Amino acid sequence: MHYANTYLEKPVVPDVKITGEGTTDVLKCMLNTGSDIYQGACKKRGSTLKEEYKNASGTCYMDPRDMAKLGVNNWDTVLVKTDFGEVVVNCAVSRDAPHEGTVFICKGPWANTIVSHDTYCCSDPTYKGIRCTVEKTDRKVLLMADLMRWVYKKYVDEEDDDVVENMDSLGELPVYHGRKWEELIDHDL
Amino acid sequence: MTYEPPVTDYDYIVENCTCAFCGCNCDDLDYLVKDNHVVAVRHACRLGASKIMEDMDQRLLVPMIRDENGELKEVDWDTALDKAAEYIANSIRPVFYGWSETSTECMKEGVALGEYIGAVLDNQATICHGPSLQAVQNAGYPIQTLGEVQNRADMIVYSGSNAMNSHPRHMARYAVFCRGYFRQRGRFDRTVVTMDPKFSDTAKCSDKWIGFEQNGDYGFYNAIRAVLRGKELYQDVISGIPKEDIYELAEEMKNAEFGVLFFGLGLTHTLSKQRNIDIAIKMVQDLNKYSKWGLTPMRGHFNVNGFNIFMAFECGFAFGVDYCRGYPRYMMGETNTIDLLVRKEPDCFMVIAADPGAHFPNGANQHLANIPVIQIDIHWGPSTELADVVLPGSFIAVECAGTSYRMDGVPIYMKKAIDKPEKKPVVMTNGLSVN
């Protein structure tokens, strides 16, 4: 059976090759978060456990000049830190460049880890305009389920961040005891 | 991306369905159905098509509760509902959050339960257009319908909103490219201005991009208001924009026949929050001295506006309604979900058609790790990773019918297209079968 396809492994980003080792280890930036069409399509389809969501939502879009300062290329990993937390995400050249000094991470569990919860009594957290630092890292970007376990530790006894980060991955499919949808639905999909 | 051939292998088409994605509520979609599953969607944008042709791997079909090892386990409906009821009944400060991706009929049941229990009812407006709703109470609501925009508007301003990414058909169907009664030539009859610090995809197809600096929106709108009121600007550059450009823009806005300001989360999520919207509404009021202007918030979910309209009608407050004293109370910054969670007040959290795991800041979500969370949703998402009871729902506008409110406040009936995926009955050891 042929379906119309809405799946896309990675967002389309400008194919810019950054050369050189970089001039700085830690880059001070302004962080904005929000939605884009790749993140929206993946989230609303419900594919949040998949690699696709990790690439769509856990990606830091940067100006190519900022990337040159750090010496990183498309789909390298970077560590983004703010006053509210830190998270490892991919980095990629922004489709909306130039915006030197500003980085953009789509909303999602990765961005949530580092945005401000201050509402200033206005109900709305400050999702945009947060000061952050970006640095190159070797750590890998966690899948959604692993990230939720690493950040909130609701159902693990371990308190140590490093230990939880290196636990076995929960994978790209729901983990539960019970019948899966293939067993539940009669017709052949 | 590669070329993809059109889908020809389908049983029948369901015409004129309503999209259950964003506040545009496009009601002209055609679903191509095969074996009771939507295999393709015509007329929808990438987002709408993606949502309707859902990912079955993560579809929730069975009720689940956490066992003592912290793992989700399938149970029958009675056990799951008993567990959820137990959590709610034993709580002192329950919060029922969500509602924006469900029908107004469902909200009716929710508010009845919330009033009975003494819960806080809140929706996604609390993390998106909450400041807009507060500003509407401060300064007024000069709104028009999207039909008026299509037929009359000759100047469209997007401010802090990337319509091409988050409301992809908004420009095509309602605001920019579409032809209207007084705008027969469509795009050529309209001027499009985008105000955004980022050169967004919307800015790329606009006539003019105003790239004011980050958090500079408040100063920029005040400068336009000053010019509209005949004042002179003393600074040469305001919020990163040269004053000559502000004069030019103000003149252009004054001379429009019918202008509309669409504003998004770029205004509500920055530091000035509701003051940004206050000043934008007042700018529209000032513009009405010269010409006809209106504004519309770019609401995200298809029924986020519905909850606000419904609650304002039912109890007088749009969102963040606290029933703990038996009567509705509302206080910005006190009875809103994020503030409650950051203060660690709730002791039971029910999520209905929403995803706090994906959208709340860490500081708020940390408290969800301490309290029981009940989730009612159709897909396994980040919130499921924090949920203690998971109750599967039906896909509104595809598997069941309902009413939703478009971003301009027009109610739209969403019809049912296919049946809910069937479930084989479970045969229990005692010979009885359930659902």
Side-chain angles (χ1 to χ4, degrees):
Chain A
M1 190 187 297
H2 175 63
Y3 293 96
N5 182 25
T6 56
Y7 174 84
L8 195 66
E9 194 197 340
K10 277 179 181 173
V12 179
V13 293
D15 189 15
V16 178
K17 178 81 184 153
I18 313 281
T19 51
E21 283 296 300
T23 53
T24 178
D25 290 335
V26 181
L27 191 68
K28 285 185 181 170
C29 286
M30 175 85 86
L31 168 72
N32 280 333
T33 67
S35 67
D36 86 348
I37 195 151
Y38 301 108
Q39 176 272 133
C42 181
K43 169 79 182 69
K44 291 297 164 176
R45 192 186 325 117
S47 309
T48 43
L49 291 165
K50 307 284 163 60
E51 188 84 11
E52 183 193 6
Y53 189 51
K54 186 184 93 176
N55 292 334
S57 198
T59 297
C60 178
Y61 293 103
M62 299 174 74
D63 187 290
R65 284 171 292 182
D66 286 338
M67 288 172 76
K69 284 178 205 160
L70 280 179
V72 286
N73 263 298
N74 274 348
W75 309 111
D76 286 350
T77 53
V78 290
L79 177 69
V80 186
K81 284 185 188 170
T82 67
D83 293 347
F84 308 94
E86 61 171 59
V87 71
V88 180
V89 286
N90 298 312
C91 70
V93 176
S94 170
R95 293 180 295 273
D96 305 326
H99 49 70
E100 202 173 358
T102 304
V103 298
F104 180 82
I105 304 181
C106 286
K107 65 182 177 190
W110 294 268
N112 288 344
T113 313
I114 49 175
V115 293
S116 160
H117 57 261
D118 286 337
T119 68
Y120 305 98
C121 274
C122 291
S123 88
D124 215 344
T126 309
Y127 286 109
K128 294 179 169 69
I130 306 150
R131 291 185 192 287
C132 71
T133 60
V134 185
E135 54 200 275
K136 202 172 170 176
T137 181
D138 296 330
R139 287 159 67 184
K140 65 179 191 324
V141 187
L142 296 175
L143 282 168
M144 185 278 280
D146 301 335
L147 183 88
M148 297 300 282
R149 181 175 63 180
W150 178 68
V151 178
Y152 303 110
K153 302 183 188 67
K154 187 166 182 176
Y155 302 109
V156 285
D157 294 332
E158 189 61 58
E159 282 301 310
D160 192 332
D161 273 357
D162 293 337
V163 176
V164 179
E165 188 177 340
N166 294 314
M167 280 181 175
D168 288 342
S169 174
L170 292 165
E172 297 185 48
L173 286 173
V175 179
Y176 65 97
H177 301 292
R179 294 166 303 157
K180 305 287 186 281
W181 71 271
E182 299 94 331
E183 305 161 33
L184 287 163
I185 298 170
D186 276 330
H187 47 78
D188 178 32
L189 281 174
Chain B
M1 286 179 74
T2 50
Y3 168 75
E4 204 181 315
V7 173
T8 50
D9 180 19
Y10 56 89
D11 296 339
Y12 57 94
I13 297 181
V14 188
E15 289 186 333
N16 298 326
C17 297
T18 305
C19 178
F21 184 87
C22 76
C24 292
N25 290 50
C26 301
D27 48 4
D28 60 344
L29 308 192
D30 296 346
Y31 299 165
L32 274 53
V33 182
K34 184 173 174 70
D35 282 351
N36 197 39
H37 189 77
V38 181
V39 291
V41 184
R42 287 187 185 151
H43 306 159
C45 63
R46 186 193 189 103
L47 299 173
S50 184
K51 178 162 184 186
I52 292 153
M53 293 184 295
E54 53 183 330
D55 187 342
M56 288 307 285
D57 282 353
Q58 288 182 230
R59 180 68 197 253
L60 295 171
L61 289 164
V62 292
M64 293 182 283
I65 58 174
R66 290 268 171 196
D67 60 13
E68 57 279 3
N69 300 325
E71 285 171 345
L72 281 171
K73 196 178 75 182
E74 181 188 345
V75 290
D76 58 59
W77 270 100
D78 283 346
T79 314
L81 288 172
D82 282 352
K83 191 77 182 168
E86 186 191 318
Y87 282 137
I88 293 172
N90 290 336
S91 64
I92 299 167
R93 193 113 170 96
V95 175
F96 296 171
Y97 167 83
W99 310 105
S100 296
E101 293 190 279
T102 184
S103 62
T104 311
E105 290 79 359
C106 168
M107 294 169 195
K108 193 177 148 195
E109 306 299 325
V111 76
L113 177 65
E115 190 173 3
Y116 178 68
I117 295 293
V120 176
L121 284 103
D122 204 356
N123 83 325
Q124 280 96 327
T126 203
I127 53 163
C128 61
H129 273 290
S132 311
L133 295 169
Q134 195 186 9
V136 164
Q137 292 162 33
N138 290 344
Y141 200 21
I143 195 173
Q144 76 298 309
T145 65
L146 293 175
E148 282 177 82
V149 180
Q150 180 194 358
N151 286 311
R152 295 163 196 271
D154 66 339
M155 187 163 188
I156 310 287
V157 180
Y158 287 103
S159 184
S161 168
N162 189 357
M164 284 306 271
N165 273 234
S166 49
H167 303 77
R169 285 190 86 204
H170 188 270
M171 295 179 96
R173 190 168 142 87
Y174 299 114
V176 177
F177 299 103
C178 53
R179 297 175 185 198
Y181 190 81
F182 297 107
R183 304 288 165 228
Q184 294 283 341
R185 295 188 304 148
R187 177 70 177 85
F188 305 106
D189 284 346
R190 305 182 207 261
T191 312
V192 184
V193 180
T194 300
M195 301 170 177
D196 202 321
K198 201 170 78 156
F199 187 50
S200 62
D201 292 339
T202 312
K204 282 166 201 158
C205 54
S206 303
D207 297 309
K208 200 174 248 189
W209 171 50
I210 315 284
F212 50 68
E213 63 196 25
Q214 187 84 33
N215 290 329
D217 23 24
Y218 187 75
F220 174 72
Y221 287 122
N222 268 311
I224 294 187
R225 282 193 72 202
V227 174
L228 289 173
R229 290 173 167 241
K231 301 281 193 292
E232 201 179 319
L233 301 177
Y234 293 115
Q235 283 174 316
D236 288 339
V237 178
I238 293 156
S239 300
I241 305 296
K243 71 175 179 183
E244 293 75 19
D245 289 2
I246 294 179
Y247 283 123
E248 189 189 315
L249 180 69
E251 195 59 32
E252 218 172 323
M253 289 167 103
K254 269 168 31 179
N255 294 331
E257 288 175 6
F258 188 115
V260 185
L261 173 74
F262 291 104
F263 63 94
L265 302 186
L267 297 191
T268 63
H269 282 171
T270 46
L271 282 179
S272 319
K273 298 198 187 282
Q274 95 273 15
R275 295 295 171 211
N276 279 333
I277 319 290
D278 274 6
I279 216 74
I281 293 172
K282 284 177 182 156
M283 183 184 78
V284 167
Q285 286 166 351
D286 287 344
L287 279 164
N288 272 300
K289 288 177 189 153
Y290 301 97
S291 179
K292 175 71 186 158
W293 271 77
L295 91 174
T296 303
M298 296 286 275
R299 306 307 296 267
H301 301 293
F302 65 94
N303 206 12
V304 61
N305 203 10
F307 183 83
N308 301 139
I309 290 172
F310 171 77
M311 287 304 273
F313 178 78
E314 281 290 319
C315 64
F317 305 117
F319 70 112
V321 184
D322 183 0
Y323 273 106
C324 72
R325 294 187 188 172
Y327 55 89
R329 288 192 316 140
Y330 157 83
M331 181 74 205
M332 282 292 264
E334 194 186 319
T335 61
N336 299 109
T337 312
I338 299 289
D339 299 279
L340 286 167
L341 286 174
V342 170
R343 288 201 305 269
K344 303 194 184 303
E345 245 177 67
D347 54 357
C348 177
F349 197 84
M350 182 151 77
V351 185
I352 306 99
D355 211 337
H359 301 142
F360 281 4
N362 183 359
N365 269 345
Q366 286 291 357
H367 187 55
L368 292 185
N370 305 331
I371 59 172
V373 177
I374 303 158
Q375 187 197 23
I376 305 175
D377 210 334
I378 56 171
H379 288 122
W380 184 292
S383 300
T384 317
E385 303 292 337
L386 299 173
D388 297 279
V389 179
V390 179
L391 305 171
S394 305
F395 195 159
I396 190 87
V398 179
E399 294 161 9
C400 65
T403 311
S404 72
Y405 285 75
R406 205 164 67 181
M407 62 167 74
D408 55 354
V410 175
I412 290 180
Y413 179 71
M414 306 184 294
K415 69 179 179 187
K416 174 182 168 171
I418 58 172
D419 292 328
K420 199 176 176 208
E422 290 165 23
K423 286 184 288 183
K424 288 176 190 166
V426 189
V427 180
M428 308 288 278
T429 45
N430 57 6
L432 297 172
S433 65
V434 289
N435 57 24

